[in-house]
Amino acid sequence: MNETSESALGIKPESLYLTVIDNLLDGVYFVNTERQITFWNKAAEEITGYQADEILGRCCQSNLLEHIDCDGRALCNLGCPLFASILDGRQRQDEVFLRHKDGYRILIHVNVFPIVENGKTIGAVEIFTPRMSTRHDYCRANIVPATPFSNQTGSSSSNGEAESYIAYKLHDLKRSQNNFCVLFFTVDGIESVNEKYGEEVAACLQENVFKSIFYNIRPSDHFSYWQERGFIGVFEVKKEYEATLLADKIRYLVEGSDVPSIIDNFSVTASIGVTMANETDTIHTLVERAYGVMRKSEIASGSRISSDG
């Protein structure tokens, strides 16, 4: 920017740029070569729940955001795109999950690139955007599942809504052969959490698990709480192996959920059952089959994911 344009605006270019960045809808933060966070804009606060004074001066590898990739691998210590861009000077884009301050997971698109001054890399920038902003806003309207430890209710937690959606998908399957699966899962040891930490913590953990999944599914899919039996999801898939991959993704998201302000180093796991729908199914047979497969995974040793294939 030349002196004329600076004079006309009445503001220094650096202040103008920071003002613009601070008012973007995308989250933006800067790190130096030691990966210490030196800038955190307002959108980053809104998306993550962390205020600037909680973040500035901290190292991004301190695991506050606990980035994981779509295969569940932790990125903050191994595979950090920011660190890689500092090392090789290359721009990177990817989709990863960050952990919100409240303990649930959000899928974000990240754009990372180095900051170069006089031919020397002095840091890096990450710009990140939630991938499911409409669902994010929907959940932020306090539409969360009723749980055995909570009196909260919402349309997304209604069995009737899930049943109606399954009925629609069964009709669509018979008419257009659009395959889908039903996935049922429970949070392992939730009763123990209730006994040890109380109903409020147990309900918060269930809610964060719900948000981690709900924020990160397609608008064409359905996910809700099913009475006191667990969570149910209805997902459009073409092949049975896709249902198994989907269940694996759900497991990663559940394991990445917690109640960070109350439970330290608490491990969350899930028992998951998934089944493909067929044209002879009814709502009852499909739900009961998914539930039965999930129950088998609860008592089986080793894998916590089961399918009926």
Side-chain angles (χ1 to χ4, degrees):
M1 183 177 290
N2 58 38
E3 292 183 3
T4 302
S5 58
E6 178 183 345
S7 176
L9 289 171
I11 186 172
K12 292 182 178 180
E14 293 82 1
S15 298
L16 174 62
Y17 300 154
L18 288 176
T19 299
V20 171
I21 293 171
D22 206 28
N23 286 278
L24 294 175
L25 297 180
D26 298 318
V28 180
Y29 68 97
F30 305 164
V31 299
N32 59 24
T33 53
E34 301 299 319
R35 296 166 67 188
Q36 187 179 44
I37 298 172
T38 61
F39 178 82
W40 188 258
N41 78 340
K42 292 178 182 177
E45 293 182 331
E46 176 70 16
I47 294 168
T48 68
Y50 286 104
Q51 299 302 301
D53 59 6
E54 298 176 276
I55 290 288
L56 292 178
R58 302 283 295 270
C59 289
C60 66
Q61 67 266 37
S62 64
N63 277 343
L64 278 178
L65 302 178
E66 292 185 6
H67 289 96
I68 60 174
D69 65 15
C70 292
D71 293 321
R73 292 181 296 237
L75 298 177
C76 290
N77 293 316
L78 295 173
C80 174
L82 270 171
F83 187 51
S85 289
I86 290 172
L87 290 178
D88 64 17
R90 292 173 54 194
Q91 182 176 10
R92 286 171 168 80
Q93 296 188 40
D94 204 353
E95 289 192 348
V96 302
F97 295 96
L98 67 77
R99 185 178 64 84
H100 189 275
K101 182 181 178 181
D102 289 339
Y104 55 86
R105 289 284 173 181
I106 302 173
L107 179 64
I108 58 171
H109 177 83
V110 298
N111 180 15
V112 178
F113 51 91
I115 304 172
V116 179
E117 186 175 87
N118 298 323
K120 181 180 179 181
T121 298
I122 61 172
V125 177
E126 179 176 308
I127 302 172
F128 60 98
T129 309
R131 298 300 288 169
M132 290 293 179
S133 58
T134 54
R135 287 193 177 277
H136 189 266
D137 293 340
Y138 185 53
C139 268
R140 289 180 58 205
N142 295 319
I143 301 176
V144 298
T147 76
F149 313 108
S150 172
N151 292 321
Q152 291 177 289
T153 59
S155 61
S156 63
S157 64
S158 165
N159 282 11
E161 183 177 334
E163 290 174 342
S164 296
Y165 193 73
I166 292 171
Y168 158 72
K169 295 299 290 183
L170 284 171
H171 176 74
D172 191 46
L173 174 63
K174 294 173 183 178
R175 181 188 60 187
S176 304
Q177 284 71 56
N178 289 325
N179 292 328
F180 72 98
C181 69
V182 170
L183 182 146
F184 217 109
F185 79 86
T186 57
V187 177
D188 297 326
I190 191 65
E191 293 292 345
S192 298
V193 174
N194 180 45
E195 293 172 4
K196 184 175 182 179
Y197 298 99
E199 293 185 0
E200 184 177 345
V201 174
C204 184
L205 178 59
Q206 292 275 73
E207 180 181 331
N208 283 345
V209 167
F210 173 81
K211 289 179 177 179
S212 290
I213 311 304
F214 190 76
Y215 286 172
N216 297 302
I217 62 175
R218 297 164 298 188
S220 59
D221 295 327
H222 175 87
F223 180 72
S224 64
Y225 199 82
W226 187 270
Q227 294 180 343
E228 297 184 3
R229 299 171 72 183
F231 296 92
I232 192 169
V234 185
F235 303 95
E236 185 173 316
V237 293
K238 297 185 183 300
K239 301 291 184 181
E240 186 172 333
Y241 76 88
E242 294 177 0
T244 302
L245 292 175
L246 175 66
D248 218 25
K249 175 183 176 182
I250 297 293
R251 177 173 64 84
Y252 294 140
L253 290 173
V254 173
E255 290 177 353
S257 304
D258 59 18
V259 186
S261 62
I262 301 173
I263 305 177
D264 295 324
N265 300 318
F266 184 80
S267 177
V268 183
T269 60
S271 295
I272 303 174
V274 62
T275 186
M276 293 291 293
N278 60 66
E279 293 186 21
T280 62
D281 270 319
T282 64
I283 297 172
H284 177 76
T285 61
L286 191 51
V287 170
E288 288 302 307
R289 189 165 68 249
Y291 179 76
V293 174
M294 183 274 294
R295 287 289 294 160
K296 290 180 182 178
S297 75
E298 281 186 320
I299 62 177
S301 60
S303 174
R304 289 288 189 174
I305 297 176
S306 296
S307 69
D308 61 350

